[in-house]
Protein backbone atom coordinates (compact mmCIF):
# COMPACT_ATOMS: atom_id res chain seq x y z
CA UNK A 1 0.00 0.00 0.00
CA UNK A 2 1.56 3.29 -1.09
CA UNK A 3 0.56 6.75 0.07
CA UNK A 4 -0.24 9.36 -2.55
CA UNK A 5 -0.49 13.13 -2.63
CA UNK A 6 -2.51 14.34 -5.61
CA UNK A 7 -2.04 17.83 -7.05
CA UNK A 8 -4.89 19.33 -9.05
CA UNK A 9 -6.07 22.61 -10.55
CA UNK A 10 -9.47 21.73 -11.92
CA UNK A 11 -12.34 19.30 -12.16
CA UNK A 12 -10.37 16.37 -10.80
CA UNK A 13 -11.77 13.56 -12.93
CA UNK A 14 -8.38 11.82 -12.78
CA UNK A 15 -8.32 12.27 -9.01
CA UNK A 16 -11.75 10.63 -8.93
CA UNK A 17 -10.57 7.71 -11.08
CA UNK A 18 -7.62 7.19 -8.71
CA UNK A 19 -9.81 7.35 -5.60
CA UNK A 20 -12.34 4.97 -7.18
CA UNK A 21 -9.57 2.49 -8.04
CA UNK A 22 -8.30 2.53 -4.44
CA UNK A 23 -11.84 1.95 -3.16
CA UNK A 24 -12.42 -0.94 -5.58
CA UNK A 25 -9.14 -2.54 -4.51
CA UNK A 26 -7.68 -2.22 -8.03
CA UNK A 27 -5.02 0.16 -6.72
CA UNK A 28 -3.11 -0.58 -3.52
CA UNK A 29 -2.78 3.03 -2.49
CA UNK A 30 -4.33 5.63 -0.29
CA UNK A 31 -4.68 9.29 -1.20
CA UNK A 32 -3.44 11.10 1.91
CA UNK A 33 -3.65 14.70 0.70
CA UNK A 34 -5.07 16.64 -2.24
CA UNK A 35 -3.38 19.95 -3.04
CA UNK A 36 -5.07 22.42 -5.36
CA UNK A 37 -3.42 25.42 -6.98
CA UNK A 38 -6.84 27.11 -7.03
CA UNK A 39 -9.33 27.53 -4.18
CA UNK A 40 -12.67 26.97 -5.93
CA UNK A 41 -12.29 23.91 -8.12
CA UNK A 42 -14.57 20.91 -8.21
CA UNK A 43 -11.68 18.55 -7.55
CA UNK A 44 -11.56 19.87 -3.97
CA UNK A 45 -15.23 18.90 -3.52
CA UNK A 46 -14.39 15.42 -4.77
CA UNK A 47 -11.57 15.16 -2.23
CA UNK A 48 -13.78 16.31 0.61
CA UNK A 49 -16.53 13.89 -0.43
CA UNK A 50 -13.98 11.08 -0.21
CA UNK A 51 -12.81 12.28 3.22
CA UNK A 52 -9.35 13.26 1.99
CA UNK A 53 -7.58 16.23 3.64
CA UNK A 54 -7.01 19.16 1.30
CA UNK A 55 -4.69 22.10 0.95
CA UNK A 56 -5.84 24.89 -1.36
CA UNK A 57 -3.56 27.63 -2.62
CA UNK A 58 -4.42 30.70 -4.66
CA UNK A 59 -2.77 32.96 -7.22
CA UNK A 60 -1.22 35.15 -4.54
CA UNK A 61 0.53 32.14 -2.99
CA UNK A 62 2.38 31.64 -6.28
CA UNK A 63 3.78 35.19 -6.47
CA UNK A 64 6.89 33.50 -5.15
CA UNK A 65 6.64 30.04 -6.74
CA UNK A 66 9.54 28.62 -4.73
CA UNK A 67 7.85 29.51 -1.45
CA UNK A 68 4.62 27.96 -2.71
CA UNK A 69 6.39 24.74 -3.67
CA UNK A 70 8.23 24.66 -0.35
CA UNK A 71 4.89 24.87 1.49
CA UNK A 72 3.41 22.13 -0.71
CA UNK A 73 6.48 19.93 -0.19
CA UNK A 74 6.22 20.41 3.59
CA UNK A 75 2.57 19.36 3.61
CA UNK A 76 3.28 16.30 1.46
CA UNK A 77 6.23 15.26 3.63
CA UNK A 78 4.10 15.69 6.74
CA UNK A 79 1.44 13.48 5.15
CA UNK A 80 4.25 10.93 4.56
CA UNK A 81 3.35 10.41 0.92
CA UNK A 82 5.43 8.05 -1.20
CA UNK A 83 4.46 9.55 -4.56
CA UNK A 84 3.21 12.92 -5.73
CA UNK A 85 0.65 12.57 -8.51
CA UNK A 86 0.01 15.53 -10.80
CA UNK A 87 -3.53 15.28 -12.12
CA UNK A 88 -4.35 18.35 -14.15
CA UNK A 89 -2.01 20.50 -12.03
CA UNK A 90 -1.42 23.64 -14.07
CA UNK A 91 1.70 24.91 -12.31
CA UNK A 92 5.36 24.15 -12.91
CA UNK A 93 6.87 21.92 -10.27
CA UNK A 94 9.96 23.56 -8.85
CA UNK A 95 13.11 22.75 -6.91
CA UNK A 96 11.63 22.39 -3.38
CA UNK A 97 9.21 19.70 -4.57
CA UNK A 98 11.66 18.01 -6.93
CA UNK A 99 14.26 17.79 -4.16
CA UNK A 100 11.79 16.47 -1.59
CA UNK A 101 10.49 13.78 -3.98
CA UNK A 102 13.23 12.81 -6.44
CA UNK A 103 11.84 10.37 -9.05
CA UNK A 104 8.67 10.30 -6.98
CA UNK A 105 6.54 12.79 -8.91
CA UNK A 106 4.43 11.59 -11.84
CA UNK A 107 2.32 13.46 -14.36
CA UNK A 108 -0.31 12.55 -16.93
CA UNK A 109 -0.14 14.32 -20.28
CA UNK A 110 -2.98 14.15 -22.82
CA UNK A 111 -0.79 13.44 -25.87
CA UNK A 112 1.98 11.06 -26.90
CA UNK A 113 5.14 12.77 -25.63
CA UNK A 114 7.49 14.06 -26.89
CA UNK A 115 4.82 15.38 -29.29
CA UNK A 116 2.47 18.18 -28.28
CA UNK A 117 4.02 19.27 -25.01
CA UNK A 118 2.42 22.07 -23.02
CA UNK A 119 -1.01 22.87 -21.72
CA UNK A 120 -3.00 22.25 -24.94
CA UNK A 121 -1.94 18.72 -25.85
CA UNK A 122 -5.34 17.57 -27.09
CA UNK A 123 -6.12 20.73 -29.07
CA UNK A 124 -2.64 20.87 -30.60
CA UNK A 125 -2.76 17.24 -31.76
CA UNK A 126 -6.23 17.71 -33.23
CA UNK A 127 -5.27 20.96 -34.99
CA UNK A 128 -2.12 19.37 -36.41
CA UNK A 129 -4.23 16.62 -37.95
CA UNK A 130 -2.36 13.63 -36.56
CA UNK A 131 -4.28 10.38 -36.96
CA UNK A 132 -3.04 8.84 -33.73
CA UNK A 133 -2.54 10.65 -30.45
CA UNK A 134 -2.87 9.37 -26.89
CA UNK A 135 -1.92 9.63 -23.26
CA UNK A 136 1.48 9.60 -21.53
CA UNK A 137 2.32 9.03 -17.87
CA UNK A 138 5.84 10.12 -17.00
CA UNK A 139 8.10 11.03 -14.12
CA UNK A 140 8.56 14.73 -13.53
CA UNK A 141 12.00 16.28 -13.42
CA UNK A 142 13.44 19.74 -14.08
CA UNK A 143 12.90 19.31 -17.85
CA UNK A 144 9.26 20.26 -18.44
CA UNK A 145 7.28 17.34 -20.00
CA UNK A 146 10.56 15.47 -20.61
CA UNK A 147 10.92 13.15 -17.63
CA UNK A 148 11.22 9.38 -18.15
CA UNK A 149 8.08 7.91 -19.74
CA UNK A 150 6.39 5.15 -17.73
CA UNK A 151 3.46 4.28 -19.99
CA UNK A 152 1.65 5.45 -23.09
CA UNK A 153 -1.61 4.49 -24.69
CA UNK A 154 -2.66 5.37 -28.21
CA UNK A 155 -5.96 6.96 -29.21
CA UNK A 156 -6.98 6.88 -32.87
CA UNK A 157 -8.50 10.05 -34.33
CA UNK A 158 -11.02 8.98 -36.92
CA UNK A 159 -12.98 10.96 -39.46
CA UNK A 160 -16.03 11.24 -37.25
CA UNK A 161 -14.07 12.88 -34.43
CA UNK A 162 -14.26 16.51 -33.49
CA UNK A 163 -12.31 18.17 -30.67
CA UNK A 164 -15.00 17.35 -28.15
CA UNK A 165 -15.20 13.65 -29.00
CA UNK A 166 -11.40 13.43 -28.99
CA UNK A 167 -11.30 15.00 -25.52
CA UNK A 168 -13.79 12.40 -24.31
CA UNK A 169 -11.72 9.54 -25.75
CA UNK A 170 -8.51 10.90 -24.22
CA UNK A 171 -10.06 11.36 -20.79
CA UNK A 172 -11.56 7.86 -20.85
CA UNK A 173 -8.09 6.43 -21.53
CA UNK A 174 -6.53 8.60 -18.81
CA UNK A 175 -8.95 7.31 -16.21
CA UNK A 176 -7.88 3.73 -16.91
CA UNK A 177 -4.17 4.29 -17.49
CA UNK A 178 -3.34 6.47 -14.48
CA UNK A 179 -4.56 4.00 -11.82
CA UNK A 180 -2.82 1.18 -13.73
CA UNK A 181 0.50 3.01 -13.69
CA UNK A 182 0.14 3.90 -10.02
CA UNK A 183 -0.44 0.22 -9.32
CA UNK A 184 2.86 -0.57 -11.10
CA UNK A 185 4.53 1.91 -8.75
CA UNK A 186 2.77 0.36 -5.77
CA UNK A 187 4.16 -3.03 -6.80
CA UNK A 188 7.66 -1.56 -7.05
CA UNK A 189 7.89 -2.56 -10.70
CA UNK A 190 9.16 0.69 -12.19
CA UNK A 191 12.85 1.52 -12.24
CA UNK A 192 14.73 4.35 -13.93
CA UNK A 193 18.08 4.23 -15.69
CA UNK A 194 19.53 6.68 -18.21
CA UNK A 195 16.37 8.77 -18.26
CA UNK A 196 14.24 5.82 -19.35
CA UNK A 197 12.10 3.50 -17.32
CA UNK A 198 12.01 -0.23 -17.13
CA UNK A 199 8.91 -2.12 -16.05
CA UNK A 200 10.16 -5.25 -14.39
CA UNK A 201 8.67 -8.20 -12.62
CA UNK A 202 8.39 -7.78 -8.93
CA UNK A 203 10.41 -10.24 -6.91
CA UNK A 204 8.11 -9.86 -3.97
C1 LIG B 1 -6.16 15.88 -18.07
O1 LIG B 1 -6.50 15.85 -19.43
C2 LIG B 1 -4.68 15.73 -17.90
O2 LIG B 1 -4.08 14.95 -18.89
C3 LIG B 1 -4.20 17.15 -18.04
O3 LIG B 1 -5.20 17.91 -17.40
C4 LIG B 1 -6.45 17.24 -17.45
C5 LIG B 1 -6.99 17.15 -16.04
O4 LIG B 1 -8.32 16.79 -15.98
N1 LIG B 1 -2.87 17.28 -17.49
P1 LIG B 1 -9.02 16.48 -14.57
O5 LIG B 1 -8.85 17.71 -13.69
O6 LIG B 1 -8.36 15.27 -13.98
O7 LIG B 1 -10.44 16.25 -14.91
Amino acid sequence: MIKLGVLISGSGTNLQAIVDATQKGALSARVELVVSSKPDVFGLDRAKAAGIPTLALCKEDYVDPLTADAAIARALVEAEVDYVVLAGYMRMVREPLLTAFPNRIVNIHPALLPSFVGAQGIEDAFAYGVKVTGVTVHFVNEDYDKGPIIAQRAVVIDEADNLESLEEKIHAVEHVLYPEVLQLLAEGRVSIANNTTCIGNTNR
Side-chain angles (χ1 to χ4, degrees):
M1 170 86 68
I2 52 170
K3 297 179 180 179
L4 305 176
V6 181
L7 273 53
I8 62 168
S9 300
S11 69
T13 61
N14 281 284
L15 165 67
Q16 191 68 57
I18 292 164
V19 170
D20 291 349
T22 63
Q23 288 171 352
K24 277 194 311 215
L27 170 57
S28 325
R30 211 170 57 207
V31 180
E32 299 287 340
L33 181 66
V34 169
V35 179
S36 175
S37 66
K38 294 182 186 167
D40 302 316
V41 295
F42 190 60
L44 283 169
D45 296 336
R46 295 180 191 273
K48 285 170 194 154
I52 302 165
T54 59
L55 169 66
L57 289 87
C58 59
K59 225 162 56 190
E60 292 69 38
D61 292 318
Y62 287 93
V63 170
D64 178 357
L66 290 181
T67 305
D69 274 18
I72 295 169
R74 248 190 333 268
L76 292 165
V77 168
E78 253 168 47
E80 298 183 339
V81 311
D82 300 300
Y83 284 95
V84 179
V85 178
L86 309 186
Y89 183 66
M90 300 303 283
R91 293 274 175 179
M92 287 273 291
V93 169
R94 290 164 203 274
E95 185 274 323
L97 264 169
L98 293 167
T99 308
F101 295 95
N103 292 335
R104 298 248 156 196
I105 306 177
V106 293
N107 180 45
I108 190 158
H109 183 75
L112 293 177
L113 292 176
S115 292
F116 307 117
V117 298
Q120 311 286 324
I122 306 176
E123 291 87 337
D124 292 347
F126 187 75
Y128 195 95
V130 292
K131 304 306 176 199
V132 179
T133 181
V135 176
T136 303
V137 180
H138 64 99
F139 284 108
V140 173
N141 58 24
E142 53 291 332
D143 283 335
Y144 184 69
D145 277 348
K146 287 196 182 137
I149 290 171
I150 309 169
Q152 294 186 300
R153 202 146 290 169
V155 171
V156 170
I157 303 177
D158 57 48
E159 277 164 21
D161 276 319
N162 53 32
L163 181 57
E164 202 183 22
S165 68
L166 178 61
E167 279 169 352
E168 276 170 25
K169 283 186 185 176
I170 293 276
H171 293 316
V173 169
E174 288 183 331
H175 300 160
V176 174
L177 186 62
Y178 221 176
E180 280 182 14
V181 169
L182 296 174
Q183 181 59 21
L184 288 177
L185 294 173
E187 292 171 5
R189 292 177 60 192
V190 184
S191 55
I192 305 178
N194 302 323
N195 212 43
T196 58
T197 64
C198 179
I199 314 295
N201 282 324
T202 176
N203 44 21
R204 272 179 287 158

